[in-house]
Structure formats: structure tokens, C-alpha cells
Amino acid sequence: MILEIKKKIEKSKIILKPFPHIIIRELLPKTALYKLNQILPSYNDVNDSNVIFQSSSETKKTIMPDSDIFKGLLKEKIFKDVNDNLKKIKPIILKKFKNEIFKNVNSTFANSKIIYNMNFALMKKGYLKSPHLDRRDHLISGIYYPASKSNVGGDLQLWGTKNREKFYDVFPSKKNLKIFKNYKIKKNFCVFFLNVPWAYHAVNKYNGNTDRKYFYIDYDFNLKSSSSSS
């Protein structure tokens, strides 16, 4: 599995606008993808006490690594294998973004030790997320979708500032932004992006009647006080 993933990353093209990112449309081999989707839980299978809700609409459940559900998933061989491979590709991803890292990251931190974090999420009909920035402890972020219907909304939107204005609000006004890229999500779709201070991204309203399942992947600065796992 790791060799196939490595080849796909190496063949991918870095897209610089509105911020550095790569797209991989078929990340996992078909057999691995099938096995993974067989064991992933659905939105209604997951007890609310074991998840994090990030909005009052409760249309997305985030399952963190320290939860019993995540620990249970790690007992499934295919989930553990995928998790291990996402960790193993860290040097490949860092090498892919090497030039952009040295252009955009303070030299004091450019060669820092980078650690891997991942959590699993479930989205249901009605979910949306306005343009925002991720936490600064992420150097590179990734989102991988093993299960998703296409053409039902929930598009991943990459936004940029108008007229090259420089402001780095976590949740900026849309009047100051415009959409540069709109990616329709299909199963086995993956994106990695450099978490620069203008890496605004959003999700428009998801209208699918089936759950969308996805992994949040982060390669983080090793901070003493990090919120990556809580």
C-alpha cells in the first residue's frame, strides 16, 4: 500500500493558488478502500458522549484518538494499516512541500520536529463550514474521504483574499474573500495543503442522504502546549 500511495504523491502537482496544495483522487488501492469502508461506523452508530461537536447543528461528529471508539477502530487491521501509512508518508509529504515550506515558514521552525496526528469524522445532511483558518500548530493539513457521494454538495472550497489584502482572521467576512478552487468530493479523494496564514477553506452545504466519512490528517509542530489531541 505504501509504495502505491508514495507514487501518487510524487506524481501529484503542487497547486500554488490560493495556497500550496496537492490533490490525490484515488489515494488507496481499491481492495484497501473496500475493506476500510466495511468497518467504518456510520453517524448514528456513534454515541454522542464519545464525540466532539463543532457546531450547534450537530451535523458532524469528530472522533478523537483518545476516545474508546477510535481505540476500537485501531483494533481493526485495515484501520490500523491506513493510520500507519498516513504516518509513514509524513517524510514524503514534507519533501513534496519542501520548497514552499522554506519560502513561507520562519527559518527557526522550518527544520522543526514534525509529529503526526489524525482524527476521524462523520458528516450528515445539512453540514456546512464557513471559510476559516486551521490552528497554527499545523504545518501541513490533509483531508481524506474514503466514503462520500458526489454531486450532493459538501464541496471543498479554497478561498483567497481579494486584491491581495493581508489579514489573517480565523473566521473572516466573505466580502473580503473569493473562491479560487471548488472541489467536488468523491470517495477516495484526498487533499494536502500547507497551513499558511491565508489558507482559507470551507465546505458548502452537504445535501447527501448518506454519511460522508473522512480523516483529518495533520503534520504538526511539536509544541509543548498543543491542542491537537484534545
Side-chain angles (χ1 to χ4, degrees):
M1 189 191 304
I2 186 67
L3 292 177
E4 289 187 49
I5 296 173
K6 179 183 177 183
K7 287 179 182 178
K8 290 173 182 177
I9 293 169
E10 290 174 342
K11 287 182 179 180
S12 65
K13 178 183 177 182
I14 288 193
I15 305 163
L16 295 178
K17 293 185 178 180
F19 48 85
H21 65 284
I22 62 172
I23 299 295
I24 305 165
R25 299 190 185 277
E26 299 288 339
L27 182 70
L28 292 187
K30 290 182 179 179
T31 302
L33 178 65
Y34 175 79
K35 290 180 179 178
L36 180 63
N37 281 326
Q38 290 296 106
I39 60 95
L40 292 178
S42 297
Y43 186 96
N44 291 330
D45 294 334
V46 177
N47 189 296
D48 291 358
S49 63
N50 285 288
V51 303
I52 294 174
F53 289 109
Q54 293 178 310
S55 68
S56 58
S57 67
E58 297 191 352
T59 49
K60 188 183 83 168
K61 293 180 177 180
T62 301
I63 302 166
M64 302 302 291
D66 57 356
S67 72
D68 291 340
I69 296 170
F70 196 99
K71 291 174 183 176
L73 286 169
L74 280 175
K75 294 178 181 179
E76 299 284 351
K77 184 178 183 302
I78 184 61
F79 190 91
K80 185 179 184 303
D81 286 347
V82 170
N83 184 51
D84 289 346
N85 278 282
L86 291 174
K87 185 175 182 178
K88 287 176 183 177
I89 63 171
K90 181 185 71 174
I92 304 167
I93 292 292
L94 293 176
K95 183 178 179 181
K96 187 73 178 180
F97 283 91
K98 181 179 179 180
N99 290 339
E100 297 308 313
I101 289 172
F102 279 94
K103 285 179 188 176
N104 293 288
V105 178
N106 187 298
S107 58
T108 305
F109 303 101
N111 291 310
S112 299
K113 181 180 179 180
I114 303 300
I115 59 175
Y116 163 77
N117 287 291
M118 186 270 279
N119 61 67
F120 174 61
L122 295 156
M123 174 202 297
K124 72 175 184 177
K125 187 173 184 178
Y127 176 80
L128 57 83
K129 185 77 169 180
S130 60
H132 64 283
L133 296 174
D134 286 347
R135 295 192 307 271
R136 302 284 10 112
D137 47 337
H138 303 329
L139 172 62
I140 293 171
S141 294
I143 312 173
Y144 170 59
Y145 304 84
S148 179
K149 294 289 185 182
S150 58
N151 299 316
V152 288
D155 300 345
L156 176 65
Q157 300 175 329
L158 307 187
W159 294 65
T161 56
K162 294 179 180 177
N163 303 318
R164 297 187 179 180
E165 296 177 57
K166 289 188 176 181
F167 59 91
Y168 307 127
D169 295 338
V170 175
F171 288 99
S173 170
K174 284 186 179 180
K175 70 180 182 181
N176 296 317
L177 303 175
K178 61 180 178 179
I179 298 174
F180 276 75
K181 298 284 184 180
N182 189 87
Y183 292 110
K184 293 188 178 297
I185 304 303
K186 296 182 179 180
K187 66 178 181 180
N188 219 8
F189 177 98
C190 185
V191 57
F192 286 99
F193 63 89
L194 186 64
N195 190 32
V196 289
W198 55 92
Y200 291 109
H201 53 291
V203 179
N204 66 9
K205 191 173 183 179
Y206 179 61
N207 298 308
N209 291 316
T210 57
D211 299 339
R212 175 173 287 174
K213 306 176 184 184
Y214 48 112
F215 295 87
Y216 281 112
I217 307 149
D218 294 302
Y219 303 116
D220 293 346
F221 294 108
N222 190 15
L223 304 180
K224 289 183 179 179
S225 178
S226 172
S227 57
S228 296
S229 59
S230 65

